Amino acid sequence: MKRAQLLLVALGLAILAIVLTQPVKATIQTQQAQLVVNVVVQVAGTPIGYVPHQAPGQAGGMAIASALRRAAPSIQRAFSAEGIHFEGDSTLVAQAQVQHSVLVQAEVTPNPKGTILISNVPNVTITAAPGQTVKVTPPCALTVTVNMTTAWSLEEGVTSDFSAGFPGKDLANDTYLQPTTPKPTSTPYIVYADDGSVWSGLGSGTGITTYCVDLTVTVPPSVTDGTYVTNAIYTLFN
Amino acid sequence: MKRYFLGLMGGVFAAMAVIVVLSPAGAATSASGTVNVEWHALPVINFTLTPNYNTGYGAVLATFGTQPAPTHGPGAPGTVDFGTTLSGDTYLYKYAAHLHITTNDSAGFLVYGEAATVLTNNTTSTQYPGQYLYYLNSGASSDSNTGFTPGLPFSQTSGMVSGGGDSTLTPATITYMSYPSPVALSASPNGDFYYDYQFRVPGTATGGNYYLWIVYTVVGE
């Protein structure tokens, strides 16, 4: 009886030790770097309007008006008159524009951890129509590299939805080690703003590692033409 | 008297000449008609660019959760000066630029915004081609953005750049042969646009003072 009690106490202590060590292991992880990759989706589903070329004026025509429908930078006026003669040439309209500039500056200090987590491109732009699914090509167009030779773990996710009607989960990734081949399926990104302010684990290692990230976006049919953007975030811990 | 008569006759002939000139030739057989004339008047555009337009302007390190207090470098408020930054990190600059535009163009206007210069280390003259500065919408007096709020990159202009070769020289200007995609547009004659900037410092950036020029161009629609 006494021995059985001792065994139970020992078993309880062992379970307690296992439970306690898990959060301890989590808390000793320290964030080393965070990488931001800008993902822009250009939604273009409406054909661009065609402006037919104007027929040439009749011989002896009084005037030719020439203007770009969309880009004309001037205000068009009109009036009617009698007995006025004009040459047939069109008139070149001067551009009206106002320009100002602002200087942006920063004092940069070198960071020993500045290159331990890098991507090959800062931005990915995808063009898609409403209701369309588009995968970025060629494969491995985006890479994420961990330049650490000690134990590390990497987490991923997107910060927010593209818009109220365009969830961030509509962006999926097929992430695989370079130089292995892509997987057959893609996994939607976890959305930090919607999914409890957490990231999802991507991988871990003890050496320099490069991941290929093949992005796929599915644009909901209700999304209107425009530019939509979110940030894919990769966070490196040791 | 003779001189008076000659003067009078001269006046009469002159008057007749004027009448002949003003009378339509072959008035009995001429036809009248109308012609439509169109012309273009250049719109008047007033554009004010104000950096650091609201109190609380400045840079914060990209952070989730509680946001740090903004700070700025000595160049502010005349410039958007992020102050001290670390290579590889991302910073948000709050209340970076306010564009106030009024025109008499009822069709509205377009706003173009581009980087006129490559990100340059003024200390070593090293250039960093690429997109490191982003813009995102802000508010006139409030701003909930963080360093992780999605923004759009400023493109490097393909226009002809004058000035802006050094942070202390004349401001940059861009001459366009064709305009790029606008960063904003307005269908009404007047508009205000408020922007924050994000600076993603290159991971390989060496120490020094970095700068680039952003040029905004407003064109009537």
Side-chain angles (χ1 to χ4, degrees), chain B residues 168-190:
Chain B
T168 57
L169 293 180
T170 53
T173 61
I174 300 173
T175 302
Y176 287 106
M177 299 302 288
S178 61
Y179 288 109
S181 297
V183 296
L185 58 84
S186 172
S188 59
N190 305 324

Side-chain angles (χ1 to χ4, degrees), chain A residues 116-141:
Chain A
I116 60 172
L117 180 63
I118 58 172
S119 64
N120 62 329
V121 291
N123 310 301
V124 176
T125 300
I126 308 167
T127 301
Q132 193 179 21
T133 296
V134 172
K135 186 168 189 175
V136 174
T137 55
C140 208

Side-chain angles (χ1 to χ4, degrees), chain B residues 17 36 49 58 76 85 102 108 135 138 145 151 159 167 169 171 195 202 218-219:
Chain B
N36 291 325
L49 172 60
T85 60
T102 59
Y135 63 93
S138 185
N145 291 329
S167 62
L169 293 180
Y195 293 114
V218 179
V219 178

Side-chain angles (χ1 to χ4, degrees), chain A residues 46-73:
Chain A
T46 308
I48 298 170
Y50 172 67
V51 179
H53 186 75
Q54 283 190 322
Q58 301 277 331
M62 300 301 283
I64 296 172
S66 177
L68 292 173
R69 298 278 174 85
R70 183 75 173 85

